[in-house]
Amino acid sequence: MPDQLIFGMEVFLNGLMAGVLYALVALGFVLIYKASGIFNYAQGVMALFSALTLVGIMEGQIPFAHLINAIFGTELHHFGWHVPGILAIVLTMAVMVLLAICVQKFVFRHLVGQEPIILFMATIGLAYFLEGVGDLMWGSEIKKLDVGLPQGINLAIDETTFGWFGYGFFIDNLDIVATIIAALLVAVLVIFAQYTKQGRAMRAVADDHQAALSVGVSLNFIWVMVWSVAGFVALVAGIMWGTKSGVQFSLSLIALKALPVLMLGGFTSIPGAIVGGLIIGVGEKLFEFAIGPLVGGATENWFAYVLALIFLVFRPQGLFGEKIIERV
């Protein structure tokens, strides 16, 4: 029994850390949805694209090298230098800002006033476009990402802490650092959205585009800013997940983990994304620990979606979402 208690505590802490990362990914969706009413299906691919770009810049890889070599018969691969991690992150963020400007200028500026389903389909097209461009620019092989984050196993609670039990448990150093960074970023985003001039302008745009325009708020600036912030969130998520499991195209699937989080917390609520992420993270770990052995395991693959389905039946707007009543 004592060993199960200690292991249960380890599972709970790992669930909390996973939940913070889920909340971070979900925040990218919430920010864009609040400012433009667009459900950004491409958020996960943005994490993949940013991680691919970061690795490519750090290794001094020539963009589109495979394509250039195939067309001209050359053997170009690298510039011959490596870029330090911090500088590479700054350059990658500049790429994500440029991407935000291009997305606004060439895609969504022409879709203002369109039905939500049209905007959603546009983000699906954007997701596949970015995935293809990422493949052409940097290649499709699995890449190792190392920006200097501490890794390895850390003894979180040793045997002396619970000496009367004689047990301890271990937590990955990367999980600890990722949780701290994600928690700080979540706090900064909440403060930004609630207390800054730009954050208030973002919420004004979310409430009423025309009213925001009438008081001098620039829609183009707000949308570029929001997509840039979402790009930064995607970059941080890409670094965390890419460092842990390598930069590969399955990284884009982390967006699917954010969907149950959004359904629980509400699509328009930043606190909801945080609470939803923690519920999903802890819930799926504890459910796997307690119920998984009884049903053959692998419950983490479906627990979040079943929980989200239950919420959709009994509380469609989520825990913190706004209940919309339409009169016809």
Side-chain angles (χ1 to χ4, degrees):
M1 187 66 180
D3 57 336
Q4 290 186 342
L5 175 62
I6 297 298
F7 186 57
M9 292 176 61
E10 180 180 353
V11 170
F12 178 79
L13 288 177
N14 281 307
L16 281 178
M17 292 186 288
V20 173
L21 290 176
Y22 293 160
L24 179 63
V25 177
L27 276 177
F29 288 92
V30 171
L31 289 171
I32 291 179
Y33 191 83
K34 281 178 69 69
S36 60
I38 300 173
F39 179 78
N40 181 24
Y41 181 83
Q43 186 67 27
V45 181
M46 288 169 64
L48 167 66
F49 181 79
S50 62
L52 286 171
T53 303
L54 177 59
V55 174
I57 292 175
M58 289 180 65
E59 295 181 351
Q61 185 177 346
I62 298 174
F64 301 105
H66 297 288
L67 184 62
I68 294 172
N69 294 336
I71 294 176
F72 299 103
T74 56
E75 291 294 333
L76 301 174
H77 295 286
H78 295 84
F79 289 110
W81 64 73
H82 287 75
V83 179
I86 298 298
L87 179 58
I89 291 174
V90 173
L91 293 175
T92 304
M93 189 59 229
V95 172
M96 299 307 291
V97 172
L98 179 62
L99 173 65
I101 295 172
C102 291
V103 166
Q104 172 56 26
K105 183 175 181 180
F106 297 112
V107 181
F108 292 108
R109 190 179 70 174
H110 305 285
L111 297 177
V112 174
Q114 295 293 327
E115 294 293 327
I117 186 62
I118 302 297
L119 301 175
F120 174 65
M121 293 299 293
T123 66
I124 294 178
L126 177 63
Y128 285 106
F129 174 77
L130 284 178
E131 193 169 322
V133 170
D135 187 3
L136 285 175
M137 285 183 70
W138 310 113
S140 58
E141 64 275 8
I142 299 176
K143 298 174 173 61
K144 181 181 179 181
L145 177 58
D146 184 4
V147 295
L149 295 177
Q151 300 185 51
I153 299 299
N154 178 62
L155 185 61
I157 296 181
D158 60 20
E159 291 82 352
T160 59
T161 305
F162 290 99
W164 56 92
F165 289 156
Y167 296 94
F169 63 80
F170 299 87
I171 298 177
D172 195 321
N173 283 320
L174 178 61
D175 287 339
I176 297 174
V177 173
T179 301
I180 293 172
I181 293 175
L184 289 175
L185 183 56
V186 167
V188 169
L189 289 174
V190 170
I191 293 171
F192 169 78
Q194 298 294 332
Y195 301 107
T196 66
K197 180 180 178 181
Q198 290 77 13
R200 289 192 293 270
M202 182 188 73
R203 288 186 286 139
V205 169
D207 291 336
D208 192 320
H209 291 177
Q210 297 300 323
L213 278 172
S214 67
V215 295
V217 176
S218 171
L219 293 185
N220 287 331
F221 171 77
I222 292 298
W223 285 337
V224 168
M225 179 192 70
V226 169
W227 277 86
S228 298
V229 173
F232 178 64
V233 171
L235 172 59
V236 175
I239 291 174
M240 301 307 172
W241 291 95
T243 301
K244 188 171 185 177
S245 57
V247 179
Q248 50 191 313
F249 277 76
S250 61
L251 183 65
S252 63
L253 299 179
I254 63 173
L256 297 180
K257 277 292 187 180
L259 293 180
V261 174
L262 295 170
M263 292 175 188
L264 260 68
F267 281 83
T268 60
S269 173
I270 291 177
I274 300 170
V275 174
L278 294 177
I279 291 175
I280 293 295
V282 173
E284 68 178 12
K285 298 293 184 183
L286 290 179
F287 192 84
E288 175 69 27
F289 170 65
I291 308 298
L294 304 178
V295 296
T299 61
E300 288 187 44
N301 295 330
W302 53 262
F303 169 81
Y305 301 96
V306 172
L307 184 60
L309 180 61
I310 295 173
F311 266 77
L312 285 176
V313 172
F314 295 101
R315 190 175 174 83
Q317 71 272 24
L319 292 172
F320 296 89
E322 299 174 356
K323 188 173 184 179
I324 300 175
I325 300 177
E326 295 184 359
R327 292 180 173 85
V328 295

